[in-house]
């Protein structure tokens, strides 16, 4: 532990020193632009649009399937028609987007149904807490960590401005590939009891991720002649959508459970509603974990192709690993709520960095935002970091203000929300099923989405019965396609030479260390235990 | 003839007369109270979808009866699911307009999946865009004709090996006999711009909208140099796009370096075929089943839409350059030419099909 912690401090101090050197001379300008950005966000009508955006985002986050990116694309036209200026439009669009990951955690915890594709991991520990009658505590913890994550993600934009070139361009595709490999090593932490079963589940997820048109040669893989499995993008894509698969894996087994057991979600008596405050305290007590997971979320946001769906699982795995409670996966470990709660919120801040600085969108959301930038007469690139720095800072403030408002409002209703877990299951099931199928259907608006949800529902139920790790499968599903794609590009560009790149070797070293360290530690512990008597 | 059959005959005659006036008499069909959908064969949030959403307020007011206009997304099969649906299953009353981006090349590269005939689609109009190839400043060249003398190895990046956009520069390099490596698999133009910045690639190309939006700042900064464009088709000839008058086309570069004899090279003819294939960048279509009078009404509506000053002002702001639009006859003429060349020059067609399989 001491070794890990001192390594952490060393990295932190190095980064800080590098930043101070690079940021020299920019501090004054950053301060002034920051203040101006804040004023513009609070001026009318921008602030009104921000509140409207928050309200829409609140609902979108809670509704399963209806995701932030889709809604943003739909709202884009609205923003143009009202002839909003840049800050007004971003207050509206980003204000909406910024809170979806926050409220998406709520349905994950209460009903075991992910509100967003990026909030599924909160289910694993959060929903068992709700079943134990601790919904209030889980919600308090998740909201507080979401807020902290959003603040850190937003702060990262400000911090990144002077060091944006090395931050975004230091790593190339071969390094991205190695990072996905590093992600795969987390399967161990996600597997619960049996590592072998965890690896098998991860491998299965990997195979599922390959279904579709491959991104390099447009070859059909495992599509069995159905065009549904080609995927929905302009150049083809993943045949199995993340939302239908996630909703099926997690929500369907919960519904079956609720229907067969009878009663309400909370099987134990719902504890004193003061639990919310307990959750807030949990987040503050584990501030260092929340900070680490936020930082991870931010950096994953910067990497093209990755985003909330990846960062939540990596953060969850890291939280469980560092808590030392890997043998209690799925029993309601509070760290497992805090980690993903923070990471899925900080990812948006990270994804904005390359978009603002280079016009390189990190994910779908920022790709849509980039479209909005241009319509509003903003050119991403140097001008966003010099001439339009106040607009850039208004984005930062929109993230901050939106999350502060939404989390505060949520706290007001949290006790009422937690009471939902006491409603009789027979009353809850019909509306939940409606939302599940409606949500899945929005993936490609075709019946295939429902079939995928049902198949993954059956698979998820079997995995629960036979105690296989669903998180490991989902990690395989989100990382598989990325790993395949990054490996192909790396090989076709550098051939095997990519393995000799310094960045690749460093990440490889970290992977080897992270696998070897617990083994060595355990062996040492084993010896001292033998020697003790 | 008894009275009864006389009445019947009169009723039938009246019926035919009414129907007759409905179909021949009324030139313009009203869409009052109806909902007209633009079908995008891709997901919400893609480039095609966002463009169509910006069009909506401008198109609705040009259609007689001012119908409600909406976007309908039908993603799948890289666009083919929606294209097939419009052609075979959509209602024939004119309330579904397809906005197609790749229907032309789909008929060549995915023939077994396509369930429509290019020649039978009815084109309401479209927009034209060129594509631009640019190289990293590290190559040390300032124009396309210097490409042959580059010492460094060329790494040309694209999305997929089937991407029609990348085929023209690939053919250019092939004709010039320039060794290069094709790096495929990038998710978007944004990923490729990042790859050029970090030295992973040193050559790629982008659509005109992508060029104006995100590549031009890199050109001004000195990070990349534009070297060639695809050009556009006008009156049966390939010309420089009027919005990029100083950038030579691939064809000019090849002709300058190789002379007129290159026109006989099947690779050059394949390059020309590609220019026609890309002639209608985004086109609005009706299925063959939609009646002629409905088509005429909608084609006229699109013509007014494309001439609308407020619309072009909006798009100029949104994409950074003037929209060059094609009315129904112009779009139809380009498609006719595509169909004709494909029949006339199977050799050029085979070259393109082979390129979609092997680098």
């Amino acid at each position: 532990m001491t070794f890990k912690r001192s390594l952490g401090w060393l990295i932190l101090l190095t980064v800080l020193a590098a930043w101070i050197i690079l940021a020299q001379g920019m501090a004054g300008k950053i301060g002034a632009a920051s203040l101006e950005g804040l004023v513009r966000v609070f001026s009318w009508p921008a602030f009104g649009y921000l509140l409207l955006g928050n309200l829409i985002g609140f609902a979108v986050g809670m509704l399963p399937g209806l995701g932030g990116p889709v809604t943003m694309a739909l709202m884009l036209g609205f923003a143009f028609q009202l002839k909003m200026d840049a800050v007004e439009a971003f207050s509206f669009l980003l204000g909406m987007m910024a809170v979806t990951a926050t409220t998406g955690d709520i349905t994950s915890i209460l009903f075991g149904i992910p509100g967003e594709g990026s909030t599924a991991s909160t289910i694993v520990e959060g929903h068992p807490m709700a079943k134990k009658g601790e919904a209030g505590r889980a919600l308090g913890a998740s909201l507080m960590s979401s807020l902290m994550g959003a603040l850190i993600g937003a702060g990262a934009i400000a911090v990144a401005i002077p060091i944006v070139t090395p931050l975004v361009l230091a790593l190339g595709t071969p390094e991205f590939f190695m990072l996905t490999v590093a992600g795969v090593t987390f399967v161990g932490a996600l597997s619960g009891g049996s590592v072998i079963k965890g690896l098998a589940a991860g491998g299965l997820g990997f195979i599922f991720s390959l279904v579709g048109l491959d991104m390099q040669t447009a070859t059909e893989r495992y599509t069995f002649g159905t065009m549904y499995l080609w995927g929905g993008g302009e150049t083809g894509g993943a045949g199995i959508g993340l939302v239908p698969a996630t909703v099926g894996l997690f929500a369907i087994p919960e519904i079956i459970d609720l229907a067969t057991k009878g009663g309400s979600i909370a099987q134990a008596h719902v504890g004193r509603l003061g639990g919310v405050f307990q959750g807030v305290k949990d987040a503050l007590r584990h501030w260092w974990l929340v900070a680490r997971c936020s930082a991870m979320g931010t950096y994953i946001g910067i990497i093209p192709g990755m985003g909330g769906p990846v960062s939540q699982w990596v953060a969850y795995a890291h939280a469980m690993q560092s808590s030392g409670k890997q043998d209690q996966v799925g029993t309601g470990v509070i760290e497992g709520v805090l980690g993903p709660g923070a990471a899925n919120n900080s990812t948006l801040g990270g994804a904005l960095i390359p978009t603002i600085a280079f016009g390189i969108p990190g994910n779908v959301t920022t790709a849509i935002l980039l479209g909005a930038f241009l319509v509003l007469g903003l050119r991403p690139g140097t001008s966003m970091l010099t001439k339009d720095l106040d607009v850039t800072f208004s984005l930062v403030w929109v993230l901050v203000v939106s999350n502060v408002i939404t989390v505060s409002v949520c706290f007001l209703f949290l006790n009422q929300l937690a009471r939902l877990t006491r409603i009789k299951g027979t009353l809850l099931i019909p509306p939940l099923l409606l939302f599940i199928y409606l949500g899945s259907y929005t993936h490609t608006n075709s019946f295939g989405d429902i079939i995928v949800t049902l198949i993954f529902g059956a698979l998820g139920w079997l995995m629960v019965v036979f105690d296989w790790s669903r998180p490991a499968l989902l990690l395989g599903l989100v990382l598989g396609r990325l790993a395949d794609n990054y490996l192909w590009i790396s090989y076709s560009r550098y051939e095997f030479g990519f393995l000799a790149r310094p960045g690749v070797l460093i990440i490889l070293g970290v992977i080897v260390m992270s696998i070897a360290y617990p083994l060595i530690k355990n062996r040492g512990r084993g010896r001292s235990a033998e020697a003790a008597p | 003839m008894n009275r009864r059959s006389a009445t019947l005959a009169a009723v039938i005659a009246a019926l035919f007369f009414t129907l007759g006036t409905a179909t021949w008499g009324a030139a313009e069909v009203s869409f009052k109270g109806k909902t007209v959908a633009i079908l995008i064969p891709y997901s919400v949030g893609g480039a095609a979808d966002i463009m169509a959403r910006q069009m909506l307020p401008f198109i609705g007011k040009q259609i007689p009866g001012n119908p409600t206009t909406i976007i309908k997304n039908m993603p799948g099969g890289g666009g083919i699911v929606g294209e097939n649906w419009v052609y075979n299953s959509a209602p024939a009353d004119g309330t579904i307009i397809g906005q197609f981006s790749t229907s032309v090349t789909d008929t060549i590269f995915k023939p077994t999946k396509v369930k429509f005939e290019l020649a039978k689609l009815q084109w309401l109009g479209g927009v034209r865009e060129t594509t631009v190839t640019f190289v990293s400043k590290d190559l040390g060249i300032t124009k396309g004709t210097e490409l042959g003398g580059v010492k460094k190895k060329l790494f040309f990046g694209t999305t997929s090996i089937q991407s029609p956009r990348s085929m023209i520069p690939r053919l250019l390099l092939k004709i010039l006999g320039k060794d290069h490596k094709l790096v495929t698999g990038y998710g978007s133009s944004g990923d490729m711009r990042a790859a050029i910045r970090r030295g992973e690639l040193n050559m790629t190309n982008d659509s005109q909208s992508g060029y104006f939006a995100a590549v031009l700042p890199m050109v001004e900064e000195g990070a990349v140099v534009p070297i060639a464009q695809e050009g556009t088709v006008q009156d049966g000839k390939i010309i420089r796009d009027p919005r990029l008058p100083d950038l030579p086309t691939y064809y000019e570069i090849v002709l300058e370096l190789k002379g007129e004899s290159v026109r006989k090279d099947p690779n050059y003819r394949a390059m020309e075929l590609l220019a026609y294939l890309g002639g209608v960048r985004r086109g609005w279509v009706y299925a063959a089943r939609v009646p002629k009078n409905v088509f005429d009404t909608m084609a006229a509506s699109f013509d007014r839409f494309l001439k609308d000053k407020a619309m072009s002002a909006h798009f100029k702001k949104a994409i950074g350059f003037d929209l060059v639009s094609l009315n129904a006859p112009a779009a139809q003429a380009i498609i006719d030419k595509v169909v004709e060349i494909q029949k006339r020059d199977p050799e050029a067609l085979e070259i393109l099909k082979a390129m979609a399989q092997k680098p």
Side-chain angles (χ1 to χ4, degrees):
Chain A
M1 211 60 206
T2 43
F3 164 72
K4 257 193 186 170
R5 188 157 283 188
S6 46
L7 188 71
W9 280 112
L10 188 70
I11 293 172
L12 196 70
L13 287 175
T14 324
V15 171
L16 199 66
W19 188 81
I20 291 171
I21 294 166
L22 288 161
Q24 272 179 342
M26 276 191 83
K29 214 166 72 184
I30 288 177
S34 165
L35 202 63
E36 200 176 328
L38 181 64
V39 171
R40 291 187 68 178
V41 169
F42 274 105
S43 58
W44 195 258
F47 190 63
Y49 288 131
L50 180 122
L51 291 178
L52 183 64
N54 288 172
L55 192 69
I56 297 171
F58 191 98
V60 166
M62 299 263 261
L63 292 174
L66 187 55
V70 169
T71 319
M72 196 154 82
L74 299 176
M75 293 296 144
L76 205 57
F78 189 54
F80 297 148
Q81 264 178 301
L82 287 179
K83 306 228 181 316
M84 295 184 190
D85 75 14
V87 175
E88 288 161 10
F90 290 131
S91 299
F92 177 59
L93 296 171
L94 208 56
M96 186 210 78
M97 193 60 214
V99 300
T100 52
T102 311
T103 59
D105 284 330
I106 296 176
T107 39
S108 298
I109 291 170
L110 291 180
F111 309 119
I113 298 172
E116 293 287 292
S118 62
T119 63
S121 57
T122 339
I123 295 174
V124 189
E125 303 303 325
H127 191 54
M129 287 181 75
K131 283 183 177 170
K132 286 194 291 188
E134 291 187 317
R137 182 181 170 195
L139 288 172
S142 120
L143 285 175
M144 194 60 205
S145 64
S146 291
L147 178 62
M148 289 160 79
L151 297 186
I152 292 176
I157 302 177
V159 172
I161 287 168
I163 52 166
V164 71
T165 305
L167 191 68
V168 177
L169 300 177
L171 303 189
T173 309
E175 287 79 23
F176 297 156
F177 170 66
M178 288 312 287
L179 286 176
T180 55
V181 173
V184 173
T185 62
F186 281 123
V187 164
L190 292 175
S191 23
S194 156
V195 175
I196 299 290
K197 271 179 166 179
L199 283 175
L204 190 64
F206 223 95
I207 293 172
F208 281 134
S209 80
L210 298 182
V211 174
L213 280 193
D214 91 294
M215 286 181 67
Q216 301 86 31
T217 57
T219 308
E220 291 175 54
R221 285 169 171 171
Y222 309 108
T223 54
F224 307 104
T226 41
M227 277 213 275
Y228 170 79
L229 290 174
W230 279 27
E234 295 198 23
T235 51
I240 292 177
L242 192 60
V243 169
T246 311
V247 168
L249 270 183
F250 285 97
I252 302 275
E254 288 307 329
I255 299 273
I256 294 175
D257 193 46
L258 195 60
T260 51
K261 282 204 179 124
S264 60
I265 288 177
Q267 280 139 20
H269 176 67
V270 174
R272 279 173 47 79
L273 294 172
V276 172
F277 188 62
Q278 173 70 32
V280 174
K281 275 205 289 195
D282 284 324
L284 296 174
R285 196 155 46 89
H286 293 287
W287 67 271
W288 178 230
L289 172 74
V290 173
R292 287 198 314 263
C293 289
S294 303
M296 279 180 180
T298 309
Y299 199 75
I300 289 173
I302 294 177
I303 298 172
M306 295 196 188
V310 176
S311 73
Q312 56 165 350
W313 290 112
V314 171
Y316 171 73
H318 173 71
M320 292 307 283
Q321 210 165 28
S322 60
S323 72
K325 296 176 188 161
Q326 278 141 280
D327 48 340
Q328 299 168 31
V329 165
T331 58
V333 177
I334 192 75
E335 286 91 337
V337 176
L338 295 170
N344 59 19
N345 274 70
S346 65
T347 305
L348 182 57
L352 280 172
I353 295 171
T355 314
I356 294 169
F358 299 111
I360 299 164
N363 56 27
V364 186
T365 313
T366 44
I368 300 171
L369 266 184
L370 182 66
F373 271 69
L374 303 166
V375 179
L376 297 163
L378 288 171
R379 280 264 198 89
T382 6
S383 68
M384 288 292 287
L385 304 179
T386 51
K387 187 164 68 69
D388 296 319
L389 196 60
D390 56 329
V391 177
T392 304
F393 268 99
S394 72
L395 301 182
V396 174
W397 286 115
V398 168
L399 292 184
V400 171
V401 175
S402 297
N403 272 285
V404 170
I405 290 176
T406 307
V407 168
S408 317
V409 170
C410 282
F411 274 124
L412 291 179
F413 295 109
L414 222 45
N415 287 335
Q416 276 71 20
L417 283 173
R419 283 214 187 95
L420 286 174
T421 57
R422 285 153 67 182
I423 294 179
K424 251 173 88 179
T426 42
L427 293 175
L428 269 181
I429 291 171
L432 288 183
L433 273 179
L434 178 73
F435 282 129
I436 288 171
Y437 292 125
L438 213 58
S440 299
Y441 190 73
T442 56
H443 175 57
T444 63
N445 303 344
S446 84
F447 199 67
D449 298 330
I450 306 287
I451 295 172
V452 170
T453 308
L454 287 173
I455 292 174
F456 274 79
L459 182 67
W461 184 74
L462 287 173
M463 289 179 84
V464 172
V465 170
F466 294 104
D467 193 24
W468 285 60
S469 165
R470 288 174 293 170
L473 188 147
L474 263 184
L475 190 72
L477 187 66
V478 292
L479 287 180
R481 217 177 160 75
L482 288 171
D484 169 45
N485 185 229
Y486 293 146
L487 177 62
W488 170 276
I489 296 177
S490 303
Y491 180 76
S492 76
R493 167 63 178 83
Y494 300 100
E495 295 179 353
F496 284 112
F498 85 87
L499 288 168
R501 284 164 63 98
V504 170
L505 291 173
I506 291 170
I507 300 170
L508 188 66
V510 173
I511 294 171
V512 169
M513 256 163 54
S514 71
I515 295 174
Y517 181 69
L519 294 177
I520 295 166
K521 205 173 67 176
N522 284 348
R523 184 184 279 181
R525 205 181 277 164
R527 258 190 218 139
S528 53
E530 276 165 33
Chain B
M1 192 194 271
N2 59 28
R3 223 172 119 190
R4 207 154 158 208
S5 54
T7 324
L8 195 67
V11 169
I12 292 172
L15 202 66
F16 266 97
F17 184 74
T18 335
L19 279 179
T21 45
T23 41
W24 305 310
E28 205 174 75
V29 180
S30 174
F31 285 84
K32 194 169 171 58
K34 290 189 179 172
T35 299
V36 172
I38 296 186
L39 184 127
I40 307 295
Y42 310 107
S43 319
V44 176
D49 177 71
I50 288 179
M51 167 168 177
R53 281 178 200 283
Q54 295 182 54
M55 262 172 57
L56 275 190
F58 299 103
I59 183 75
K61 63 183 179 193
Q62 305 293 355
I63 304 173
N66 297 326
T68 312
T69 46
I70 58 163
I71 300 288
K72 187 176 166 70
N73 297 82
M74 191 182 281
I80 297 182
V81 171
E83 290 163 7
N84 286 348
W85 185 80
V86 168
Y87 190 85
N88 297 297
S89 316
D93 60 356
T95 52
I96 297 284
I97 299 164
Q99 180 185 299
F100 292 176
S101 311
T102 58
S103 53
V104 178
T105 43
D106 284 344
T107 57
I108 297 174
F109 299 128
K110 296 159 186 161
T112 57
K113 303 288 176 188
V114 167
K115 303 275 181 275
F116 60 86
E117 275 183 65
L118 199 54
K120 287 189 183 163
L121 283 168
Q122 307 191 68
W123 295 78
L124 296 161
V127 289
R128 228 161 39 181
E129 270 196 30
T130 180
T131 60
V132 178
T133 292
F134 54 96
V135 297
S136 161
K137 68 162 188 320
D138 299 342
L139 293 186
I141 61 171
T142 54
K143 45 184 199 237
T145 43
E146 296 167 359
L147 208 52
V150 170
K151 291 280 181 313
K152 286 192 173 155
K153 179 152 189 183
L154 292 175
F155 293 97
F156 180 83
T158 184
T159 49
S160 137
I161 194 167
Q162 291 195 347
S163 146
R165 188 170 89 197
S166 69
M167 284 184 186
I168 305 195
R170 283 167 65 193
L171 280 165
L172 172 75
L173 293 169
K174 198 169 163 189
I175 296 170
L176 297 182
K178 184 73 195 154
D179 187 31
H180 66 281
K181 183 132 198 182
L182 183 70
V183 186
T184 59
Y186 289 96
S188 68
S189 308
D191 291 347
M192 288 183 265
R193 292 195 294 272
I196 283 212
R197 279 193 185 268
R198 52 179 192 247
E200 200 168 294
L201 298 174
N202 48 27
M203 183 174 181
T204 186
N205 68 346
D206 207 336
S207 67
Q208 186 164 354
S209 2
Y211 180 76
F212 274 87
V215 182
L216 212 50
M218 290 172 75
V219 175
E220 285 159 7
E221 185 193 317
V224 295
V225 183
I227 55 164
Q229 64 165 317
E230 186 177 328
T232 53
V233 182
Q234 196 170 313
D235 305 328
K237 275 196 207 123
I238 303 166
I239 56 159
R240 288 183 190 184
D241 191 285
R243 295 158 291 187
L244 283 166
D246 301 324
L247 192 64
T249 63
Y250 302 104
Y251 317 95
E252 291 177 57
I253 293 170
V254 173
L255 285 170
E256 186 182 331
L257 293 174
K258 297 280 171 181
E260 283 294 319
S261 62
V262 81
R263 286 185 196 275
K264 292 203 183 72
D265 183 342
N267 288 312
Y268 181 85
R269 292 188 336 247
M271 238 164 86
E272 279 194 328
L273 175 55
L274 278 166
Y276 286 100
L277 294 180
V280 188
R281 179 71 187 88
R282 289 192 209 291
W284 298 290
V285 303
Y286 264 159
R289 297 167 290 118
V290 176
K292 175 89 172 60
N293 59 331
V294 177
F295 171 80
D296 287 342
T297 305
M298 195 55 87
S301 308
F302 267 85
D303 198 43
R304 287 192 294 275
F305 158 73
L306 292 168
K307 283 179 184 149
D308 180 3
K309 293 239 164 54
M311 185 281 293
S312 28
H314 172 84
F315 276 92
K316 179 157 175 111
K317 203 178 148 203
I319 51 184
F321 54 87
D322 291 310
L323 205 65
V324 169
S325 51
L326 301 159
N327 59 12
Q332 190 63 54
I334 292 177
I335 300 301
D336 290 345
K337 181 101 178 176
V338 168
V339 175
E340 186 240 327
I341 303 182
Q342 283 191 55
K343 280 194 195 130
R344 181 163 45 95
D345 198 347
E347 198 183 359
L349 199 61
E350 283 312 310
I351 287 179
L352 296 185
K353 285 184 181 169
M355 284 178 76
Q357 304 297 326
K358 270 216 303 259

